[in-house]
Amino acid sequence: MHFVKSFDCKTLKFVLLNVCGIISKLCFPDFDKFMLKCDIFCLTETKLDDFDNVDVSVFKFQGVHRIGGLKKFGGIGFFVKDYLWKYVKFVNCNNENCLWFEIDSKLSNEKCMFGVIYIPPESFVYSFVDIFDKLESDIIDFKAEGYSICLLGDFNARTVHLSDFVSVDDFDYQTQCEFRNNLEVLGFVTDRHSEDSVCNKYGYRFSKRCKPLDVHILNLLMFTLLGSDVFIGKTTCKNVSVIDYLVFSPCLFPKIDKFDILPFDPLLSDVHDPISFDFICNSQVHIGHSCSNVKTENNRAPIYMW
């Protein structure tokens, strides 16, 4: 083992993807190349069980899978670059629909809790009416401890243009004006944009739950500082529906940069598009790493993309 590099970590590259089964995808070299572009790669529908071994060079993996049934179903997890692993803490909340982890505030400069989410479709046997209750309870508990919230996942909730912000009817006019003005200072307004044309029951339930929790779907809002999804609200599944979301506490909006819905690639997922964003970090933290586990080609130095 020898020392390779030390650098200021200004951003972390996150990618969210419903992978539709991780084991088969790891057979493709292009999938490995795509992963190397990420610092933290959040996955839904991993479809793993106790006998699967997910061992990827340069990354550490943390995941939970659904127990029971005749075939592999659901499952959530995340890959983290080896040299970032010490900054990541897995939080066990016994919620099979959400995998929680915290990034050390020394690196993130925020007390922030991340949740990788997979909610089964409404018609599936593992779905039930109050499926969002446990998620809501977790968020309330974390917020009580002073955490800001970031959710990444496949919610199977089609919200179209439903607002997840409080309305004038919910609060007095002065309070509502102050709230909207604060958002505009962050470069963001509450108008919603979506290429989806359908709203389902989960969509109504989820958008309604977001309001009192003060968390909001980022990829359906007009955020002037972000990427190619501004004024669009691109579909994330089958070029038809928006069900894969980033959901944030408003105080984290300034921490998000270079947000994009990436093009569909059948080597990455059966039907879902990847979602990518950069999370702005504390640039004073110096990260060093070794090359002992780093793959190289033709003995060239490894390339890290941030």
Side-chain angles (χ1 to χ4, degrees), residues 32-283:
D32 288 341
K33 292 178 182 178
F34 181 82
M35 284 185 64
L36 284 173
K37 299 177 183 179
C38 315
D39 296 308
I40 299 179
F41 190 19
C42 300
L43 302 173
T44 63
E45 283 208 84
T46 52
K47 298 184 179 180
L48 298 173
D49 62 23
D50 289 334
F51 301 100
D52 289 315
N53 180 26
V54 181
D55 185 12
V56 179
S57 180
V58 190
F59 286 93
K60 294 281 194 304
F61 178 75
Q62 177 70 56
V64 296
H65 57 266
R66 187 175 294 276
I67 300 173
L70 298 178
K71 64 179 181 179
K72 299 177 184 180
F73 173 77
I76 42 186
F78 60 90
F79 288 97
V80 179
K81 286 278 178 65
D82 282 337
Y83 51 87
L84 294 170
W85 185 250
K86 67 179 180 179
Y87 294 101
V88 177
K89 178 184 177 183
F90 167 61
V91 181
N92 187 3
C93 290
N94 296 316
N95 186 349
E96 62 184 5
N97 296 309
C98 182
L99 178 62
W100 292 102
F101 66 94
E102 178 183 4
I103 294 179
D104 194 314
S105 59
K106 294 178 182 178
L107 180 60
S108 66
N109 218 21
E110 294 280 349
K111 191 175 180 181
C112 182
M113 191 65 67
F114 294 81
V116 187
I117 310 290
Y118 178 67
I119 304 294
E122 292 178 348
S123 59
F124 274 42
V125 65
Y126 295 109
S127 180
F128 51 93
V129 173
D130 298 323
I131 198 167
F132 291 103
D133 286 358
K134 176 58 177 173
L135 176 60
E136 181 180 38
S137 177
D138 287 349
I139 293 173
I140 290 172
D141 289 343
F142 288 133
K143 288 174 72 73
E145 296 176 16
Y147 286 97
S148 299
I149 302 297
C150 170
L151 306 178
L152 313 90
D154 179 355
F155 292 79
N156 275 298
R158 302 177 69 173
T159 60
V160 194
H161 300 103
L162 290 178
S163 176
D164 53 18
F165 287 90
V166 292
S167 67
V168 174
D169 294 333
D170 297 321
F171 284 112
D172 65 83
Y173 182 74
Q174 182 177 355
T175 301
Q176 180 67 10
C177 287
E178 291 175 356
F179 180 70
R180 290 179 178 271
N181 288 339
N182 289 337
L183 292 174
E184 290 176 1
V185 168
L186 297 175
F188 163 19
V189 296
T190 58
D191 294 341
R192 307 255 309 197
H193 300 269
S194 177
E195 290 185 335
D196 200 344
S197 59
V198 174
C199 185
N200 62 9
K201 292 179 181 178
Y202 275 3
Y204 283 107
R205 291 194 183 104
F206 181 57
S207 60
K208 186 176 181 179
R209 297 292 178 93
C210 287
K211 290 183 180 182
L213 295 172
D214 193 23
V215 294
H216 310 287
I217 301 171
L218 191 66
N219 48 312
L220 295 182
L221 296 170
M222 191 189 79
F223 198 3
T224 60
L225 302 179
L226 297 183
S228 62
D229 201 40
V230 174
F231 292 113
I232 299 175
K234 291 182 181 178
T235 55
T236 64
C237 182
K238 298 182 180 179
N239 221 18
V240 172
S241 62
V242 183
I243 55 176
D244 304 281
Y245 297 124
L246 305 183
V247 182
F248 286 85
S249 297
C251 61
L252 294 178
F253 291 158
K255 304 282 289 182
I256 309 305
D257 191 23
K258 298 180 181 178
F259 167 81
D260 284 296
I261 310 292
L262 303 179
F264 172 73
D265 185 338
L267 294 181
L268 303 179
S269 175
D270 295 2
V271 293
H272 289 260
D273 303 332
I275 299 178
S276 169
F277 70 94
D278 288 358
F279 188 83
I280 299 171
C281 295
N282 180 3
S283 62

